[in-house]
Amino acid sequence: MSASTQIRPRATMPAAPARPGQRRARLRSTITRWLFVVPAAVFVALFFGYPVVKNVVMSFQDYTTKTFFTGEAPWVGLGNYVAVFSSSVFTTSVVNTALFTAGSIVLQFVLGLGLALFFRRHFPLSGFLRGLLLLPWLLPLIASSAVWKWLLDQDSGALNQLLGVVGIGPVPWLVSPSLALIAVIGVNVWLGIPFNTTILYSGLQSVPPELYEAGALDGATGFKAFWYITCPSIRSVVSVVIVLGVVYTLKVVDIILGLTGGGPANSTQTLATNAYHQSFINFQFGIGAAVSNVLIVVSFVFAMVYIAISRKAVDE
């Protein structure tokens, strides 16, 4: 072949037009997908989107019980937020929310991880006990709070009667400003342990046994195996559990209302219960909406962290 010979590119054939049957199939597929998406989108818009938008609007209005009769809700701008941030109850609520969330998350995670590690070892009735552990998670929260309120009652509570057997006097679990928040945290921990145990147990099941066998050859047994093999392997699961736990704990209302109602002396008042009291006790719906929006922003931040962690876990 001479040097002057040129290699001509092969001519590309134009794509064949879609047949009418193929177009109809694609159209049916698109319509089917939208039929699944539209009901969910409408549900989210009506029952989540509209309440959030309405709550934001109410936070800029003087929305009270008078509004239900007159239909008037004067625009006050940032007045409700100024009233919220300048209130001493709000400061107490923020501190209690931080303590309640941190205490609950740490104890739930530690105890949940301990139980997950315990149930990883198969023994008789292990499956039955794991199922029994889910019972607190399945009970209605208000029913659980009613039972615990009876257990922690200062005069006739079962816990104080048990302590009396060993010579410890009645402990004011729910009526003492210094003990009420601790008692509420303890009940919330009891309710959150099943969630932590279940998710962490699933994460532990995904760790290949070969890693422990290889680690044992290098002397990584016991705590070393847990620290250098188990922890890195379930890091993404731990992150998801903690972030979800924070989001769930921030909005806890029924447990606190059922046990203490936010008292005594606002010692168990959180942002969630503060919003409830402002709206449905004081009937200051505008101020209650402002407190709720603060809680929504905090929850939104942790939700974004959860989404980022989930995407990172998928990429890995």
Side-chain angles (χ1 to χ4, degrees):
M1 182 181 294
S2 64
S4 60
T5 305
Q6 297 181 351
I7 302 176
R8 297 181 180 180
R10 182 180 297 178
T12 57
M13 298 295 294
R19 298 179 182 179
Q22 293 177 339
R23 289 197 296 267
R24 286 195 295 268
R26 288 198 204 120
L27 181 60
R28 283 196 301 268
S29 177
T30 303
I31 293 175
T32 301
R33 288 196 295 267
W34 277 105
L35 287 177
F36 281 100
V37 172
V38 169
V42 172
F43 178 85
V44 171
L46 288 178
F47 295 99
F48 291 93
Y50 173 75
V52 170
V53 173
K54 182 64 176 178
N55 197 73
V56 172
V57 174
M58 285 175 58
S59 67
F60 297 104
Q61 297 175 314
D62 183 18
Y63 207 105
T64 62
T65 52
K66 183 179 179 181
T67 306
F68 293 104
F69 299 98
T70 63
E72 298 177 356
W75 189 265
V76 296
L78 296 176
N80 289 329
Y81 290 93
V82 172
V84 166
F85 290 124
S86 60
S87 172
S88 59
V89 177
F90 177 78
T91 304
T92 303
S93 300
V94 171
V95 174
N96 289 339
T97 301
L99 294 175
F100 176 74
T101 303
S104 297
I105 295 303
V106 170
L107 293 175
Q108 286 175 1
F109 175 76
V110 171
L111 296 175
L113 180 59
L115 287 172
L117 292 171
F118 173 74
F119 283 117
R120 193 182 183 188
R121 301 182 178 182
H122 298 284
F123 55 91
L125 298 180
S126 61
F128 172 76
L129 292 177
R130 286 202 309 270
L132 193 63
L133 186 67
L134 294 175
L135 186 59
W137 198 17
L138 301 176
L139 293 176
L141 295 181
I142 195 64
S144 299
S145 63
V147 173
W148 275 102
K149 187 173 183 179
W150 169 74
L151 290 173
L152 298 174
D153 186 77
Q154 181 178 357
D155 299 323
S156 59
L159 181 57
N160 277 337
Q161 291 183 9
L162 182 62
L163 293 176
V165 175
V166 295
I168 300 177
V171 180
W173 296 107
L174 301 178
V175 295
S176 172
S178 59
L179 293 177
L181 185 60
I182 297 175
V184 171
I185 290 175
V187 174
N188 191 60
V189 168
W190 177 78
L191 292 168
I193 286 176
F195 171 78
N196 284 259
T197 303
T198 302
I199 304 301
L200 292 173
Y201 178 80
S202 300
L204 291 174
Q205 293 298 101
S206 64
V207 181
E210 294 79 8
L211 292 179
Y212 295 101
E213 296 174 0
L217 297 177
D218 295 331
T221 59
F223 180 77
K224 288 184 178 180
F226 170 77
W227 186 255
Y228 292 106
I229 299 176
T230 304
C231 289
S233 300
I234 64 171
R235 185 179 298 138
S236 60
V237 178
V238 169
S239 302
V240 170
V241 168
I242 291 177
V243 175
L244 283 180
V246 170
V247 174
Y248 292 156
T249 306
L250 284 173
K251 61 185 183 64
V252 170
V253 176
D254 32 20
I255 291 298
I256 300 176
L257 293 179
L259 290 172
T260 63
N266 294 321
S267 61
T268 59
Q269 193 80 264
T270 62
L271 287 174
T273 58
N274 187 14
Y276 174 86
H277 276 87
Q278 293 291 350
S279 297
F280 302 107
I281 303 297
N282 300 333
F283 299 110
Q284 297 290 335
F285 298 102
I287 295 179
V291 179
S292 298
N293 288 333
V294 174
L295 188 60
I296 288 174
V297 171
V298 176
S299 301
F300 179 78
V301 171
F302 281 99
M304 292 297 100
V305 173
Y306 167 69
I307 293 175
I309 293 174
S310 300
R311 288 179 177 177
K312 184 178 179 180
V314 171
D315 295 338
E316 291 178 354

